[in-house]
Amino acid sequence: ERVVGKRALTCTRTQQSTMGKGGDQAVATRPRRDDFLYSEQEEPHASRKTAILAKYPKIKELMRPEPLTKWVVFGTVALQVFMAKLTLEWSWGAYLAAIYVVGATANHSLFLAIHELSHNLGFRNVRYNKMLAMVANLPIGIPYCITFKPFHMEHHRYQGEEGIDTDIPTQLEAWFITKTSMSYVDHTMRKAVFMFFQIFAYAFRPMLVKPELVPKDKWIVTNWAVQIAFDGLMAYLVGPKVLLYFVLSTFFAGSIHPTAGHFLAEHYVMEGTTETYSYYGPLNYVTYNVGYHNEHHDFPNIPWTQLPKVRKIAPEFYDTLPQCKSWPGVILRYIFDDSISPFSRVKRATLGQNEGKKD
């Protein structure tokens, strides 16, 4: 058994896990958690970063902005504007198919461009990163890139800290989805509905849990002004239906979509007590290598193009960790495995005051 703070868990799988493949055949009979996992240990990334840098100091050479990011962003924004106009007269079936296949994939890529820019990895100048993030925000339809950054920085500094890391589901979410469910079928249906609408949890949870982190400066005003101007201009030039394309692309990008599997795959505890997982599959090509999530948390100042090099330089630190094999597979496992729920996250309540221990 592995002891994690207040909970003792049995790890029944090998380190090279099958996470993301749907689990085994007895998913409905595994015991269901009724609380989060609590840890009294520091999150694993700071100590691993120290160990890797001690052994491989050349990794510091990878810590630089990535010039390619802006061109990928410009191309993706242009694609979405083109598709929004192209599909105006399509039948509803073809229209929705285009939104799901192209629009949602493109907008999810833009979510992760904004994530990349929140770490100032597009330019050395912080202001330029914010400006490019606003460009990436345009086809998303709703201004959020400036609001996203402070919450995401807290997630990195205080991973799992109760009341600080807003990436963790709230007690209310866990109560409604899991604690009040009356059967396996009921639990499965609630998780499926949550997955379908999960974009709303990610949009509103941070502001409800820590409203004081919402920026109140010129950048938030600029983000809203630029987005409203773009939306208005597109509606005027192309027609109001163009906004429906953008908003539905955003909705499906955060719904039951292959790329949205990373929301679960990154930190939901699927194997033993491991709280961060990497995914090395092909969907990384359209998501700024966010699947290299252990590598990203260890070195958040290394851009997306260089994260595979981190694993290549220090394979002994990553290849033995449990991995996610499939983002669509982990969505299915979350829905159909009764033991996986909003409670499948590690919380810690003693490390948030240790300022200065992390970069």
Side-chain angles (χ1 to χ4, degrees):
E1 288 187 333
R2 298 179 180 180
V3 176
V4 181
K6 302 175 185 176
R7 298 285 182 269
L9 302 173
T10 302
C11 181
T12 60
R13 295 178 180 237
T14 61
Q15 288 250 292
Q16 288 297 328
S17 75
T18 58
M19 173 192 171
K21 293 185 177 179
D24 58 36
Q25 298 177 351
V27 293
T29 60
R30 291 177 179 170
R32 185 189 302 178
R33 295 197 59 81
D34 62 0
D35 200 357
F36 294 94
L37 291 81
Y38 292 88
S39 176
E40 296 173 356
Q41 301 174 355
E42 186 174 292
E43 53 83 16
H45 302 289
S47 58
R48 186 162 58 230
K49 174 182 179 179
T50 300
I52 292 174
L53 286 177
K55 188 172 182 179
Y56 301 108
K58 65 179 179 179
I59 281 182
K60 292 180 180 179
E61 298 172 8
L62 306 178
M63 299 175 182
R64 56 174 176 78
E66 175 50 68
L68 180 61
T69 301
K70 60 181 176 293
W71 302 115
V72 179
V73 168
F74 293 153
T76 309
V77 171
L79 171 65
Q80 282 294 77
V81 172
F82 171 76
M83 287 296 297
K85 186 175 186 302
L86 178 68
T87 58
L88 280 175
E89 304 301 325
W90 288 15
S91 67
W92 276 104
Y95 180 71
L96 292 174
I99 286 173
Y100 188 83
V101 175
V102 180
T105 304
N107 271 15
H108 205 106
S109 182
L110 292 171
F111 292 168
L112 294 165
I114 289 170
H115 163 259
E116 191 77 5
L117 295 164
S118 74
H119 289 281
N120 298 321
L121 293 174
F123 303 93
R124 296 190 185 279
N125 187 302
V126 174
R127 180 176 59 181
Y128 294 164
N129 284 284
K130 291 181 178 180
M131 292 169 65
L132 183 59
M134 290 185 203
V135 174
N137 200 147
L138 295 177
I140 293 169
I142 301 164
Y144 90 98
C145 67
I146 299 300
T147 305
F148 171 77
K149 180 172 181 174
F151 294 101
H152 187 64
M153 293 301 102
E154 293 285 88
H155 166 61
H156 271 271
R157 294 188 187 103
Y158 305 113
Q159 181 177 311
E161 284 290 331
E162 191 162 14
I164 299 177
D165 182 0
T166 58
D167 188 64
I168 296 176
T170 63
Q171 287 282 357
L172 179 61
E173 291 172 76
W175 174 84
F176 181 77
I177 294 170
T178 298
K179 273 203 168 181
T180 58
S181 63
M182 296 177 287
S183 66
Y184 168 74
V185 172
D186 184 19
H187 194 213
T188 298
M189 291 299 296
R190 294 188 192 205
K191 289 190 289 181
V193 171
F194 171 80
M195 285 302 304
F196 190 73
F197 293 103
Q198 71 169 330
I199 189 69
F200 295 106
Y202 278 92
F204 294 112
R205 183 198 301 138
M207 294 182 290
L208 293 173
V209 174
K210 294 203 73 179
E212 67 274 15
L213 282 186
V214 176
K216 302 173 184 67
D217 57 17
K218 65 179 182 181
W219 287 107
I220 190 72
V221 174
T222 304
N223 188 192
W224 276 84
V226 168
Q227 190 65 52
I228 292 172
F230 174 80
D231 291 349
L233 182 64
M234 289 296 297
Y236 175 75
L237 294 177
V238 184
K241 190 179 178 182
V242 75
L243 301 182
L244 182 64
Y245 176 90
F246 292 143
V247 172
L248 286 179
S249 293
T250 296
F251 174 77
F252 285 114
S255 183
I256 300 179
H257 188 273
T259 57
H262 82 88
F263 288 135
L264 298 171
E266 290 167 357
H267 297 294
Y268 273 73
V269 177
M270 300 280 184
E271 313 300 335
T273 60
T274 302
E275 58 184 288
T276 305
Y277 301 80
S278 287
Y279 158 79
Y280 300 120
L283 290 174
N284 279 304
Y285 289 115
V286 293
T287 56
Y288 292 85
N289 282 332
V290 76
Y292 287 77
H293 215 65
N294 271 300
E295 294 83 347
H296 169 63
H297 267 265
D298 292 350
F299 299 98
N301 54 347
I302 290 180
W304 60 282
T305 54
Q306 306 302 310
L307 290 175
K309 294 181 182 178
V310 174
R311 184 190 180 202
K312 185 176 181 180
I313 291 170
E316 69 272 27
F317 287 91
Y318 297 108
D319 288 353
T320 58
L321 297 175
Q323 299 169 11
C324 174
K325 302 299 183 183
S326 166
W327 282 346
V330 85
I331 292 175
L332 293 175
R333 183 173 174 193
Y334 176 80
I335 292 173
F336 292 105
D337 187 334
D338 202 43
S339 70
I340 307 297
S341 74
F343 284 128
S344 301
R345 290 293 300 264
V346 171
K347 280 189 175 185
R348 43 181 57 85
T350 60
L351 304 177
Q353 304 305 315
N354 295 339
E355 300 267 3
K357 282 195 174 183
K358 305 176 180 64
D359 291 334

